Amino acid sequence: MEIQRITVWVTGPIKSTLDAYHDNCAKAEAEFIRSKISGGAEKRAARAEAARLRPERWPTQDVLATAAVRRYLREPHLAGPWEPLSPRELGRMRLAGRWPGPKLGGLVAERQFGLPADVVLQVRTASWRISKEWLDLLEEEGLVGVKLDAEDRARRDELASNLLTPGQIIRDALGQPFALRWPGLHGSTK
């Protein structure tokens, strides 16, 4: 399975939840190792067992994000069916991070997630198809990829406020109730 890295700006609450999840996984794994050692296992064997169990018991944030995004992509407004992206659209999507986007407040940290390539393509396809008429209008008015004066920037921001970016889809997925919890890891989030 091909993994693609995707960088997303996240809100304070999502950042805090991801940080708490990471800390709780590290604590749970360390406690597991201590428990094994106190039960008579050698340190090396305890660490090896923890490493073997890690993907299921203490999965990475990439695993959580993948599960959350897959669930969210089943929502009716994102599920499609969507026409596949054309080669030209795929080329333009390579610069998805350079899209004009809505001015969002409260984004405090960049996070990079390794998501399966098929999930990234689904996110980008839904984003493109939902935002297509606004992207076309931005392009027709010459408001993309050029230096703009204050009036044109205001117009670009007005139109861009209607876009649903890939980053927004991922933020929305991570912000869903229980999106960042893992069964069996008590207190996986704050």
Side-chain angles (χ1 to χ4, degrees):
M1 166 175 42
E2 181 189 350
I3 299 295
Q4 288 185 347
R5 304 301 295 172
I6 188 164
T7 303
V8 179
W9 278 91
V10 297
T11 62
I14 291 173
K15 178 191 179 302
S16 296
T17 301
L18 289 168
D19 290 346
Y21 176 79
H22 179 269
D23 292 348
N24 289 335
C25 283
K27 288 175 189 170
E29 185 174 346
E31 179 57 36
F32 174 85
I33 293 169
R34 276 193 298 278
S35 169
K36 289 292 181 179
I37 293 170
S38 69
E42 290 184 23
K43 187 175 185 178
R44 185 179 190 145
R47 287 181 175 275
E49 186 175 354
R52 184 180 56 75
L53 294 172
R54 189 176 298 129
E56 291 178 18
R57 284 183 97 169
W58 313 291
T60 65
Q61 292 178 13
D62 292 348
V63 172
L64 283 182
T66 297
V69 171
R70 282 190 195 277
R71 273 191 309 271
Y72 192 58
L73 285 170
R74 291 192 292 256
E75 292 289 320
H77 70 289
L78 296 172
W82 305 111
E83 179 182 330
L85 295 174
S86 70
R88 179 176 181 270
E89 291 166 335
L90 281 170
R92 287 172 66 193
M93 281 305 297
R94 287 197 180 101
L95 299 175
R98 305 271 188 246
W99 275 21
K103 296 243 186 265
L104 301 172
L107 302 181
V108 299
E110 273 187 328
R111 287 297 168 103
Q112 192 176 82
F113 299 102
L115 303 177
D118 68 306
V119 173
V120 173
L121 183 59
Q122 282 182 282
V123 167
R124 289 178 171 168
T125 301
S127 171
W128 189 274
R129 294 295 172 234
I130 290 168
S131 302
K132 185 171 181 0
E133 66 185 78
W134 298 104
L135 288 167
D136 289 346
L137 192 53
L138 282 158
E139 198 168 81
E140 286 168 18
E141 292 189 21
L143 300 173
V144 179
V146 295
K147 191 169 178 105
L148 303 172
D149 62 25
E151 186 178 318
D152 286 340
R153 266 194 313 278
R155 175 68 176 152
R156 180 200 57 203
D157 292 347
E158 175 190 343
L159 296 175
S161 69
N162 296 291
L163 299 177
L164 179 62
T165 65
Q168 186 62 50
I169 291 173
I170 293 170
R171 273 190 298 281
D172 289 349
L174 297 175
Q176 295 296 303
F178 304 106
L180 298 176
R181 291 187 62 84
W182 191 255
L185 180 61
H186 298 293
S188 61
T189 58
K190 284 171 80 174

